[in-house]
Amino acid sequence: MEEHTLSFWIYLGVLSMFVFGATKKILASYLSPAPTLVAWLGATVLVERIVLQPATLPAHGKAVFITGCDSGFGNETVKRLDALGFEVFATVLDLTGPGARELQSTCSSRLTLFQVDITQTQQVQQALLDTKAKLGVRGLWGLVNNAGLCVNFGDAELSLMSNFRSCMEINFFGTVSVTKSFLPLLRQAKGRLITICSPAGDQPFPCLSAYGASKAALSLFVNTLRHELKPWGVKVSTILPSSYKTGQCRKQSYWNEQHKQLLQSLSPELLEDYGEDYVSETKELFERYVQHANSNLSPVVDTIVQALLCPKPRARYLAGPGVGLMYFIHTYCPLSISSRFLQKLFVKKKLLPRALRKQSSFDLNLSLYNNNNEEERLK
């Protein structure tokens, strides 16, 4: 056994030296004007990522509280954590709903479900008391803030104020309430705080102002906690998923209802300026975008597990196809390029608002009129 172990480490050392040397040469060839130190540092980081991956921590005996588990990321994560041996405390909006029933039938007795609306302080506090009673003298290893809501589509000027308030109430204030309530248990265990954020909170996605603003507030809150909780030994991570089919957005009835409410709420002046066809196109583009979204949620679930069990979790995880490229363009490219990328990637609108179309038509007719007059004058 010892001989095989020794052979493995010799092999690993040789492989590390080979990867390090090859990587250093490649980086140096591309970074020839830069100091050799840059290539050396780049090779070191890459070798750490490829060869020196740390072992994961055991799940047995660890307790995790996760919100928003009726469907989507939360529901799939509960099943995965239960299968790994975690003791899981999960919130759902409806204990009698299909999501809760599925979890009760497929998971072990280690799972405890709570019916909690995270915007209701009393319900959050009751879940905290019940969790404490189950844990006894133990702390909480992980808090996964997953519950969230996206209730709007359309230009900011057209969006309902109630949508802005709903997004902030759930995505920000509700998550802050849960986090503040459970932090003492996390500090006791020197555990993990994991929050599902969104690229829409970092980048200006068209037609997602209410949702994006709430996620931007949440990101700043979590990033501040990362500094404040470091002395307590609590590790804080944010997860930024790419586009996935989750929640109500999978249902066409949801988009039809949103579209109906938006049209009914618009003033005659706004409806005249933008046009019903402009609003309808936005709805159709969102539906099409969701149809092409990823239905396989495992990249996000895998990332949550990694953040819970990695000895040194990252501060930020990008989960899913395309999100890394999106952040690269957002970070390193000029604003004009990153803005055009978002417009082409997300909502590819073809129609202008009605008032602008009228203005364009008027300008075109005026230009043709002037050209004809100029031709007549030259004759």
Side-chain angles (χ1 to χ4, degrees):
M1 184 69 178
E2 291 181 359
E3 182 179 346
H4 287 300
T5 303
L6 181 61
S7 300
F8 170 77
W9 283 109
I10 291 174
Y11 170 77
L12 188 61
V14 172
L15 178 62
S16 300
M17 291 174 63
F18 173 77
V19 173
F20 179 85
T23 306
K24 181 180 174 183
K25 287 181 180 179
I26 292 170
L27 289 174
S29 66
Y30 281 99
L31 301 172
S32 53
T36 308
L37 178 61
V38 175
W40 184 85
L41 289 173
T44 302
V45 170
L46 191 57
V47 168
E48 284 183 358
R49 291 282 177 91
I50 296 175
V51 181
L52 304 178
Q53 289 292 335
T56 57
L57 300 170
H60 180 72
K62 291 182 172 62
V64 175
F65 189 96
I66 176 169
T67 62
C69 302
D70 296 88
S71 62
F73 301 139
N75 189 278
E76 293 298 319
T77 301
V78 168
K79 289 184 279 190
R80 177 75 68 83
L81 295 182
D82 180 75
L84 289 172
F86 281 98
E87 181 178 1
V88 182
F89 301 92
T91 74
V92 292
L93 284 173
D94 185 2
L95 274 176
T96 63
R101 291 199 305 268
E102 180 193 9
L103 292 176
Q104 289 167 336
S105 63
T106 58
C107 294
S108 71
S109 59
R110 292 187 304 274
L111 171 65
T112 302
L113 287 180
F114 301 123
Q115 182 165 307
V116 176
D117 177 347
I118 64 170
T119 66
Q120 302 300 311
T121 305
Q122 282 188 327
Q123 294 182 24
V124 172
Q125 291 304 310
Q126 187 60 54
L128 174 62
L129 292 174
D130 293 342
T131 302
K132 282 182 175 180
K134 285 260 189 178
L135 289 175
V137 297
R138 294 180 297 148
L140 186 68
W141 175 254
L143 170 60
V144 181
N145 286 318
N146 169 70
L149 180 70
C150 180
V151 295
N152 84 295
F153 68 89
D155 298 44
E157 187 178 12
L158 304 181
S159 299
L160 301 173
M161 281 305 300
S162 60
N163 287 344
F164 281 91
R165 292 190 179 97
S166 296
C167 283
M168 288 300 294
E169 199 64 42
I170 295 174
N171 297 340
F172 181 65
F173 291 116
T175 303
V176 170
S177 173
V178 171
T179 303
K180 283 172 61 64
S181 298
F182 283 83
L183 272 181
L185 290 177
L186 278 181
R187 289 192 287 104
Q188 181 183 340
K190 296 185 177 180
R192 309 290 172 85
L193 173 60
I194 299 163
T195 303
I196 308 298
C197 292
S198 171
D202 295 328
Q203 304 177 39
F205 280 76
C207 301
L208 280 182
S209 56
Y211 177 73
S214 66
K215 287 295 187 177
L218 180 61
S219 292
L220 186 57
F221 171 69
V222 173
N223 288 333
T224 302
L225 282 179
R226 181 178 300 113
H227 299 292
E228 297 174 350
L229 295 176
K230 188 174 182 180
W232 293 96
V234 175
K235 295 178 172 60
V236 179
S237 299
T238 57
I239 295 176
L240 298 155
S242 57
S243 178
Y244 289 92
K245 292 180 182 177
T246 60
Q248 293 180 322
C249 68
R250 295 172 296 176
K251 305 173 185 176
Q252 186 173 359
S253 58
Y254 166 78
W255 297 108
N256 291 337
E257 184 61 27
Q258 290 286 309
H259 179 246
K260 179 181 176 182
Q261 289 180 6
L262 181 57
L263 287 177
Q264 290 176 345
S265 70
L266 293 180
S267 67
E269 293 79 15
L270 273 180
L271 191 56
E272 175 63 27
D273 283 346
Y274 279 87
E276 186 174 337
D277 55 350
Y278 179 87
V279 178
S280 298
E281 185 201 36
T282 304
K283 172 215 169 207
E284 291 165 5
L285 288 171
F286 266 84
E287 286 181 306
R288 197 177 308 155
Y289 184 80
V290 171
Q291 287 173 0
H292 291 91
N294 197 347
S295 58
N296 177 18
L297 308 182
S298 58
V300 177
V301 177
D302 293 342
T303 304
I304 293 172
V305 173
Q306 184 181 351
L308 284 169
L309 293 180
C310 181
K312 294 182 179 180
R314 301 180 201 168
R316 187 176 74 165
Y317 291 90
L318 306 179
V323 69
L325 174 63
M326 186 192 307
Y327 270 90
F328 179 86
I329 292 173
H330 175 70
T331 304
Y332 296 106
C333 292
L335 182 61
S336 58
I337 294 178
S338 62
S339 296
R340 179 176 293 183
F341 175 77
L342 279 183
Q343 290 168 348
K344 296 294 183 183
L345 171 75
F346 190 52
V347 179
K348 305 171 185 176
K349 292 193 71 65
K350 295 180 180 178
L351 285 178
L352 285 171
R354 180 186 292 164
L356 294 179
R357 277 177 274 161
K358 287 182 178 179
Q359 183 64 44
S360 297
S361 177
F362 174 79
D363 291 343
L364 178 60
N365 291 335
L366 182 62
S367 176
L368 291 173
Y369 176 78
N370 290 334
N371 288 338
N372 290 335
N373 284 345
E374 183 66 19
E375 289 175 2
E376 291 293 329
R377 190 183 65 81
L378 293 174
K379 287 179 181 178

